[in-house]
Amino acid sequence: MKSHDQRTGDENGGGPRLQDQAERLGRKVTHSAQQVWLAGLGALARAQDEGSRLFDSLVKEGESAEARSREESSTGASLRDSVESTLGQARDRAAGTWDRLEKSVDDSVHRVLRRMDIPSRADIEALNERLDALNQRLAQAENRSSSTTGKPEEL
């Protein structure tokens, strides 16, 4: 019988696994974000060195580049929109992965605690409810008992 990794590769015609694709996409997004960050830092350093004239020039070039990317895009999306969308998707996938991991850990811990016969919170709450009910019944029984035997008889 083939493992999951072997089946995934074989059944997709030998194509890359989904996890590999996600990792490559994550690396590309990270690399692109780093490039944008470095370009911004470089532009800021140059703007500080050359003054506001260069800064104004860079703003105009940025506006022009964004306008060109909107014109070249069939949907009218800018490069910034595309990057934001890709980052949003990556963030959503990471959150989903984290949620699945957290649930898996919770389930594993719960199974271990069950094997060790350690009661769960629900078990303890159920026992507390039973104790409260028994205490209430005991108090009622004591009240009935004291009311029938507790009255002194008049002579």
Side-chain angles (χ1 to χ4, degrees):
M1 187 150 115
K2 294 181 180 180
S3 72
H4 174 69
D5 292 341
Q6 291 171 331
R7 285 192 311 264
T8 304
D10 291 347
E11 291 173 3
N12 291 334
R17 293 186 354 227
L18 184 60
Q19 184 177 0
D20 292 339
Q21 290 175 342
E23 289 173 2
R24 278 197 301 278
L25 177 63
R27 285 192 297 270
K28 285 181 183 178
V29 168
T30 299
H31 180 72
S32 294
Q34 286 175 330
Q35 293 296 313
V36 169
W37 173 255
L38 292 174
L41 285 177
L44 181 61
R46 185 178 292 179
Q48 288 173 341
D49 290 343
E50 296 182 16
S52 63
R53 180 179 51 85
L54 177 62
F55 184 78
D56 291 340
S57 171
L58 289 172
V59 168
K60 287 179 184 175
E61 286 182 34
E63 290 171 343
S64 174
E66 186 171 14
R68 280 193 311 271
S69 72
R70 283 189 191 276
E71 289 172 5
E72 292 171 2
S73 172
S74 61
T75 63
S78 70
L79 180 61
R80 179 176 40 181
D81 295 338
S82 175
V83 168
E84 287 175 355
S85 173
T86 302
L87 286 174
Q89 291 171 357
R91 189 180 311 115
D92 291 344
R93 279 194 301 265
T97 300
W98 182 256
D99 290 343
R100 286 190 304 275
L101 176 63
E102 187 176 11
K103 182 178 179 348
S104 175
V105 168
D106 286 347
D107 291 346
S108 296
V109 168
H110 183 72
R111 281 193 305 271
V112 168
L113 292 175
R114 278 288 172 205
R115 269 188 250 135
M116 296 173 65
D117 288 330
I118 297 175
S120 69
R121 177 178 291 168
D123 295 336
I124 292 171
E125 288 173 357
L127 285 173
N128 281 334
E129 289 175 9
R130 289 178 61 193
L131 282 173
D132 289 343
L134 287 173
N135 282 332
Q136 186 177 14
R137 288 177 59 193
L138 181 60
Q140 289 171 351
E142 286 175 345
N143 286 339
R144 280 193 303 265
S145 174
S146 66
S147 66
T148 58
T149 60
K151 290 185 181 177
E153 294 183 24
E154 292 184 23
L155 293 174

